[in-house]
Amino acid sequence: MTNIKKPIVAITIGDPAGIGPEITVDTLTNQKVYEESNPFLIGSVDIVKRAMEVRNCNFAINKIEKPSEGKFQYGTIDVLETGDYDCASIEYGKVQKLAGQMSYDYVVKSIELGMNKEVDVVATAPIHKEAIKLVGVKQPGHTEIYGELTNSPYALTMFNCHNLKVFFVSRHKALKEACDYANKERVLDCVQQIQNEMVGIGLTNAKIAVAALNPHASDGGLFGTEEADHLIPAVKAAQELGINAVGPVPADSVFMLGLRGNYDAILSLYHDQGHIACKTYDFEKSITITWGLPFMRSSVDHGTAYDIAGKGIAGTISMHEATLVAIDYWKKKQAALVAQS
């Protein structure tokens, strides 16, 4: 991948009342980010300056109106603004309508740049669901916003945690609803989408494990019928399509087997099933990748942390990881395209 150009990376600073500005500023003090990419922030200069004070960062700021104006030099933070806001009114640690508007505007700008092919990768700092709701945003979070505003055929969530690639049939649903949601059709759709994305990064025969829903994969129907009614038929249908799918594999062992390298990807049936496994293994290096968009998109998997915002104590490993992992996947996609041409 040495001949592949550096991607242009937009990093949205998230809710200005949370830790997003400070962890994104800190990410741009990581020299490796500049070695691997041409990064800049989408945010507000005054908010970035405040975050730099919090992080004791004395870098220069280069205000830009488009990515092509970026210096992309270590020691300078390029910032692309989305509007003129009353930044002085933003208080750390509080749900505010203006903060919700600003964080949403940053996201929309990143989508605009991605759709125009002005950026290759977008890494997002956390937004606050209540704050964006105050300005009328209907989508519950980042993934749904990116999926809808890009008109993508799907927006498939993957947790990346070291060598684990964990995908999800559903995310923010009540558990009872999520169990019913994971039917044959949806599981098969997800397996096909995973296969498509794995081929896109050069894994042409990825082994995809489908997690079971019930204990011991229901032990032949002793503990539920979901495996027999939906999961086994979905796996068989995927195999008939030439996909290297296996399962359902009991959820109490599938992630451990994945860590051992038995599987290239794992399909978790609901939010906590996969999140608990990854976050227990390494909370800070469990980051989100959204597949299916016209550009690579990643995110930290933690919230705005209002309780510690502005105190300079927020952990920054996850934002660094989200940025670097997204860059790595983008490069793998470019390498796969070259290999296929």
Side-chain angles (χ1 to χ4, degrees):
M1 294 191 287
T2 54
N3 294 326
I4 295 172
K5 73 176 181 77
K6 285 185 179 182
I8 298 176
V9 179
I11 304 174
T12 62
I13 69 170
D15 188 307
I19 64 170
E22 57 194 274
I23 64 174
T24 53
V25 162
D26 191 84
T27 298
L28 291 193
T29 65
N30 183 340
Q31 197 152 2
K32 186 177 180 182
V33 173
Y34 286 87
E35 292 169 359
E36 300 291 334
S37 71
N38 291 325
F40 68 95
L41 298 183
I42 298 179
S44 302
V45 168
D46 287 345
I47 297 296
V48 171
K49 284 181 178 177
R50 185 169 73 168
M52 290 172 68
E53 292 175 6
V54 169
R55 301 304 305 191
N56 294 315
C57 173
N58 60 359
F59 283 14
I61 289 181
N62 178 41
K63 184 177 176 181
I64 62 176
E65 293 186 359
K66 50 188 177 181
S68 60
E69 295 176 356
K71 292 184 178 179
F72 307 128
Q73 296 174 349
Y74 185 75
T76 297
I77 297 178
D78 298 298
V79 182
L80 190 153
E81 293 193 308
T82 57
D84 185 16
Y85 309 102
D86 181 13
C87 295
S89 70
I90 298 295
E91 296 182 57
Y92 280 126
K94 291 184 179 181
V95 175
Q96 294 148 91
K97 184 176 181 180
L98 177 58
Q101 185 66 63
M102 292 166 73
S103 62
Y104 181 68
D105 290 348
Y106 303 153
V107 168
V108 172
K109 174 56 72 172
S110 75
I111 292 170
E112 175 191 317
L113 296 174
M115 297 297 284
N116 290 338
K117 301 191 183 304
E118 294 180 74
V119 300
D120 304 299
V121 175
V122 174
T124 58
I127 58 178
H128 199 286
K129 291 178 172 59
E130 288 182 55
I132 63 170
K133 190 175 181 181
L134 290 176
V135 294
V137 178
K138 299 289 192 295
Q139 301 93 337
H142 272 125
T143 301
E144 295 81 6
I145 295 170
Y146 278 95
E148 289 184 30
L149 296 190
T150 59
N151 294 310
S152 296
Y154 57 83
L156 183 66
T157 294
M158 183 192 86
F159 247 37
N160 188 94
C161 182
H162 295 277
N163 64 316
L164 279 175
K165 299 180 184 68
V166 180
F167 295 81
F168 297 86
V169 177
S170 67
R171 295 174 65 252
H172 298 135
K173 289 185 180 294
L175 182 56
K176 183 182 290 188
E177 184 183 351
C179 292
D180 293 335
Y181 189 82
N183 59 26
K184 175 189 173 183
E185 291 73 22
R186 291 194 180 96
V187 170
L188 178 58
D189 279 348
C190 286
V191 172
Q192 289 177 281
Q193 291 165 9
I194 294 169
Q195 168 72 1
N196 182 53
E197 298 302 337
M198 293 299 96
V199 169
I201 59 171
L203 295 174
T204 55
N205 189 39
K207 192 171 187 180
I208 302 167
V210 175
L213 179 67
N214 294 301
H216 309 293
S218 84
D219 261 351
L222 290 176
F223 313 122
T225 64
E226 287 83 0
E227 280 73 18
D229 293 346
H230 296 286
L231 303 183
I232 292 172
V235 170
K236 286 183 176 178
Q239 291 169 344
E240 289 169 2
L241 293 171
I243 299 172
N244 188 11
V246 296
V249 182
D252 62 358
S253 58
V254 68
F255 302 102
M256 176 273 296
L257 293 171
L259 276 174
R260 287 184 177 178
N262 291 40
Y263 313 122
D264 295 297
I266 298 169
L267 179 59
S268 170
L269 301 185
Y270 56 91
H271 182 281
D272 284 6
Q273 188 180 58
H275 279 235
I276 291 170
C278 290
K279 289 184 175 181
T280 300
Y281 183 60
D282 193 331
F283 186 92
E284 290 180 310
K285 292 200 173 182
S286 294
I287 62 101
T288 298
I289 296 286
T290 305
W291 297 100
L293 307 179
F295 46 88
M296 185 62 63
R297 181 254 162 177
S298 67
S299 179
V300 295
D301 199 70
H302 60 68
T304 51
Y306 276 170
D307 58 324
I308 60 170
K311 297 180 181 179
I313 59 174
T316 60
I317 292 173
S318 190
M319 192 72 234
H320 290 233
E321 185 79 357
T323 305
L324 290 168
V325 168
I327 292 166
D328 185 56
Y329 276 121
W330 180 85
K331 290 183 176 179
K332 287 177 178 177
K333 289 188 76 168
Q334 302 312 302
L337 286 171
V338 170
Q340 292 164 15
S341 63

